[in-house]
Amino acid sequence: GQSLEQPSEVTAVEGAIVQINCTYQTSGFYGLSWYQQHDGGAPTFLSYNGLDGLEETGRFSSFLSRSDSYGYLLLQELQMKDSASYFCAVRDPNQGGKLIFGQGTELSVKP
Amino acid sequence: DTEVTQTPKHLVMGMTNKKSLKCEQHMGHRAMYWYKQKAKKPPELMFVYSYEKLSINESVPSRFSPECPNSSLLNLHLHALQPEDSALYLCASSQEAYTGELFFGEGSRLTVL
């Protein structure tokens, strides 16, 4: 089968650092993407890792270890506006190349 | 222009109605997608168009009928829907099919009575 596992909820305070993990089990793998979705809004692309290692974009970083089928999204200097759902997604070439989403992690940032 | 625009934003329809959802992008993307999203759930892929041809149909019931009139437009025709089809319908586009970066529209929130 194929599955992506991520925590359902994470709570943190403003200014803190939070890490959202994603482990995947898919028949094939092209890369790991992360999306942010605010309540009532559209999913917004955050990052993509095709190769092992860390990708940094401002306050957000994403990491991938293909040998461990594992990745994470790191959010630094948390702000209230970071409260949202975060989805990891894997593109599986053995599933017609479609993007397979995890169930999402709801991040709540408290003052 | 980095937007995907969808209309209408909200739609209420009866089970015997016929309606259409529309999506437009002007980023020169060659792939366009329809996703369905229920509350607190991830987007579920329905259809993928690549170079205006249907490349993936995720076994979606025939009461949903996609159409890609040209490379910038994507429609979803709705007919004889069920109340369980009520959801947020998201359109997305990407440079090419099968990339990791999709641009989503704000969605059309559909309620079927």
Side-chain angles (χ1 to χ4, degrees), chain B residues 66-82:
Chain B
E67 178 197 17
C68 189
N70 61 53
S71 60
S72 300
L73 294 174
L74 187 66
N75 299 322
L76 187 64
H77 303 299
L78 315 171
H79 173 53
L81 295 192
Q82 305 296 311

Side-chain angles (χ1 to χ4, degrees), chain A residues 18-78:
Chain A
V18 73
Q19 179 174 311
I20 300 174
N21 297 321
C22 175
T23 57
Y24 59 89
Q25 183 178 340
T26 56
S27 57
F29 180 81
Y30 269 151
L32 183 70
S33 302
W34 288 92
Y35 286 81
Q36 177 193 61
Q37 187 175 26
H38 287 99
D39 246 1
T44 304
F45 173 79
L46 292 177
S47 69
Y48 173 78
N49 293 71
L51 300 173
D52 289 355
L54 191 68
E55 296 282 341
E56 297 180 74
T57 310
R59 294 187 297 116
F60 294 1
S61 304
S62 58
F63 172 83
L64 174 65
S65 169
R66 287 175 297 169
S67 59
D68 295 322
S69 298
Y70 163 76
Y72 65 72
L73 179 70
L74 189 74
L75 299 87
Q76 302 183 74
E77 299 170 24
L78 280 176

Side-chain angles (χ1 to χ4, degrees), chain A residues 10-19 59 75-83 107-111:
Chain A
V10 173
T11 301
V13 296
E14 267 188 303
I17 299 172
V18 73
Q19 179 174 311
R59 294 187 297 116
L75 299 87
Q76 302 183 74
E77 299 170 24
L78 280 176
Q79 302 175 8
M80 298 294 288
K81 66 178 182 179
D82 297 329
S83 294
L107 172 64
S108 297
V109 180
K110 308 292 186 189

